[in-house]
Amino acid sequence: MNLGYVCTNFNGSAVTQNAVRTLREIEGHDIYIVIVDNASSADEVRAIKVCEDEKTTVLCLEENLGYFAGLNAGIRFLRQKRPDLKWMVVGNNDLEFPSDFCDKLEAITPELQKYPVISPDIVTMDGHHQNPHVISHISKIREIFYDLYYSNYHIGLLVHALAKQFRSISDRSDELQWETAREIYQGHGSVYILSPLFFELFDELWAPTFLMSEEFFLSKQLSDKGFSVYYDPRVSLRHLWHGTLGSMPSRRRWEFARSAHRVYRRYVKVF
């Protein structure tokens, strides 16, 4: 199987190197990697440049484009360099790929040809399954709490604390159905598999925000063409949860999410 992998890197070179290592350990397949460095520090750039070889390219951007826009830079580069590639994995740098990842994807490729985007089973270090992220819809009550959360940073902290305290109420149950393959509303934004059909329909990912809410924007991009994300647990990988955002100050992360939520509200109304 010929497979592409595009990820973004921002001052997380050690994590990215680990993802590249797990891909290189996969035998019997040609995997081409593009690491999009979103204006990391000079030391981090030097560290990530070590990954470069005949199948791995590091694109060093002069400014941080954000998540999906950064991925698009890598997608464009890889499609120009390897127009023969039909399947592409795009997402975070804090991933670990099992040795049978390509074998499993290749085995079910005929079944997945009719879907532009595949969401795999994403398992965190503590064994939590992050997909299916949203199976059908988000309730109006939850949407109201989103608005409350993003109304003010300190209110957001309170809402977050209450959600952690009352997880039985606040947690979504969709992910408990991780063993069932199906069409879903949103797949977890840490990683997607783009099929040949995606590139027949689109040149790149819709990226209206710098960071956050990518799950919705991809879902809308597909639904506008009459398609859905397809979740398939037969393809699985590991997510080193918060490996990418763990060093980012919480207020800064909240501000990114609030900006994305404001764009989200242009398309999704509570009432």
Side-chain angles (χ1 to χ4, degrees):
M1 179 178 204
N2 290 343
L3 183 71
Y5 170 59
V6 178
C7 71
T8 54
N9 178 75
F10 178 68
N11 292 332
S13 300
V15 175
T16 306
Q17 288 173 351
N18 182 63
V20 171
R21 175 189 60 78
T22 64
L23 283 170
R24 287 176 175 168
E25 290 175 352
I26 296 175
E27 298 179 350
H29 302 273
D30 288 324
I31 303 174
Y32 299 87
I33 301 168
V34 177
I35 301 164
V36 181
D37 185 81
N38 264 326
S40 296
S41 68
D43 287 344
E44 289 285 342
V45 170
R46 282 192 291 270
I48 201 60
K49 278 283 190 179
V50 173
C51 291
E52 286 195 308
D53 60 20
E54 69 279 1
K55 292 184 179 180
T56 304
T57 301
V58 178
L59 290 183
C60 295
L61 305 182
E62 294 183 0
E63 63 174 313
N64 191 336
L65 298 182
Y67 186 33
F68 265 21
L71 289 178
N72 283 336
I75 290 170
R76 288 191 296 269
F77 177 88
L78 188 53
R79 293 190 73 199
Q80 290 172 0
K81 184 177 181 180
R82 292 301 308 260
D84 58 310
L85 285 178
K86 304 300 183 183
W87 291 82
M88 196 177 297
V89 178
V90 300
N92 284 10
N93 60 336
D94 57 345
L95 305 173
E96 288 186 345
F97 294 84
S99 60
D100 62 354
F101 180 83
C102 289
D103 289 336
K104 289 188 173 181
L105 179 58
E106 189 174 47
I108 60 176
T109 288
E111 300 174 50
L112 303 180
Q113 294 280 7
K114 62 181 180 179
Y115 297 103
V117 176
I118 314 303
S119 252
D121 179 26
I122 305 168
V123 187
T124 64
M125 290 183 291
D126 60 0
H128 175 70
H129 295 264
Q130 295 182 291
N131 265 330
H133 188 55
V134 183
I135 293 175
S136 60
H137 71 284
I138 297 173
S139 70
K140 289 188 180 297
I141 292 177
R142 187 174 293 272
E143 293 281 12
I144 291 170
F145 272 98
Y146 287 163
D147 287 345
L148 186 62
Y149 177 81
Y150 292 118
S151 64
N152 177 276
Y153 176 65
H154 298 288
I155 293 175
L157 289 177
L158 177 60
V159 171
H160 181 69
L162 291 172
K164 290 180 66 175
Q165 186 69 28
F166 299 100
R167 285 193 177 277
S168 61
I169 299 174
S170 63
D171 282 359
R172 296 185 55 86
S173 61
D174 299 49
E175 294 158 350
L176 299 178
Q177 302 182 50
W178 65 270
E179 293 179 295
T180 303
R182 66 179 83 194
E183 293 183 5
I184 61 174
Y185 176 44
Q186 295 178 19
H188 195 275
S190 57
V191 60
Y192 296 105
I193 303 170
L194 308 184
S195 79
L197 180 56
F198 180 88
F199 295 110
E200 293 178 18
L201 298 167
F202 313 104
D203 291 325
E204 58 186 30
L205 303 164
W206 183 35
T209 63
F210 180 80
L211 188 66
M212 306 294 187
S213 295
E214 291 88 3
E215 294 93 345
F216 166 75
F217 298 124
L218 179 56
S219 172
K220 178 167 173 48
Q221 182 179 10
L222 297 181
S223 65
D224 285 349
K225 293 285 189 178
F227 292 92
S228 299
V229 176
Y230 188 75
Y231 167 67
D232 200 312
R234 291 174 292 180
V235 182
S236 181
L237 48 75
R238 191 180 187 202
H239 185 197
L240 308 183
W241 186 227
H242 292 317
T244 301
L245 295 176
S247 62
M248 187 181 297
S250 60
R251 179 154 193 158
R252 185 65 169 155
R253 188 160 60 244
W254 177 86
E255 288 170 349
F256 282 134
R258 178 184 60 181
S259 296
H261 183 71
R262 289 173 175 172
V263 179
Y264 170 78
R265 272 288 168 260
R266 298 175 192 169
Y267 302 96
V268 178
K269 308 297 182 183
V270 179
F271 300 105

